[in-house]
Amino acid sequence: MGDLYRFGISLDRELIDAFDLHIGAQGYRSRSEALRDLIREELVRKKWTEGGSVAGAIVMTYDHHKRELVNRLLDIQHDFHDIIISTQHVHLDHGNCLEVIAVKGPAPSVEELSTALKVLVGVKHLNLSVSAAE
Ligand code: NI
């Protein structure tokens, strides 16, 4: 973290009471911590909508008995090799696999990869979670 900068904010009593209640329930120990997270989240969202660079993970489960699915998944991942940092494969049970794909790159490419995988027949669930790349 860089130098700390302090500033004051004026808010309606009702708003700050609701905020305190909300962040207390989430486990935050101070307003500063909660505000820092909110600001970071907003900046990541801005990067995402503006097509900036993001880092994140695609978590997916799929039916590995589905014909040709594993080959399609591999072909697509090779098409996006420039934004895939690593993949982790877990054999959940006899027929199901869990895959975690760590990604880093322009938001539009990350979204394109995520969508390409999500629409495949046999992919049961897919979740994309992103953070700021730097
Ligand atoms: Ni497997």
Side-chain angles (χ1 to χ4, degrees):
M1 203 189 320
D3 293 338
L4 275 181
Y5 179 81
R6 293 176 198 280
F7 66 104
I9 315 173
S10 304
L11 291 173
D12 288 340
R13 165 59 64 186
E14 210 175 304
L15 189 59
I16 195 65
D17 284 349
F19 186 66
D20 284 346
L21 204 65
H22 176 67
I23 65 175
Q26 288 190 311
Y28 281 108
R29 284 162 300 175
S30 72
R31 288 176 185 155
S32 292
E33 272 181 47
L35 272 176
R36 268 196 290 273
D37 281 357
L38 279 177
I39 291 169
R40 286 196 192 105
E41 205 173 300
E42 182 59 23
L43 292 176
V44 169
R45 205 156 60 96
K46 180 172 163 356
K47 275 196 170 197
W48 182 256
T49 54
E50 290 177 352
S53 189
V54 294
I58 294 169
V59 178
M60 61 189 288
T61 51
Y62 62 89
D63 175 357
H64 99 138
H65 287 138
K66 204 82 200 171
R67 253 182 105 72
E68 285 302 305
L69 176 59
V70 176
N71 283 336
R72 286 291 299 134
L73 288 173
L74 283 175
D75 284 347
I76 291 169
Q77 289 187 34
H78 276 271
D79 288 343
F80 287 86
H81 68 89
D82 50 335
I83 61 164
I84 294 178
I85 301 166
S86 75
T87 61
Q88 183 175 28
H89 185 100
V90 178
H91 308 302
L92 283 180
D93 54 40
H94 185 67
N96 294 294
C97 302
L98 167 75
E99 207 150 299
V100 181
I101 306 168
V103 292
K104 184 181 172 189
S109 304
V110 170
E111 190 167 26
E112 198 185 332
L113 167 62
S114 174
T115 305
L117 297 172
K118 195 176 199 167
V119 299
L120 294 176
V121 175
V123 173
K124 294 177 173 179
H125 184 258
L126 183 148
N127 181 261
L128 166 65
S129 175
V130 290
S131 191
E134 58 285 311

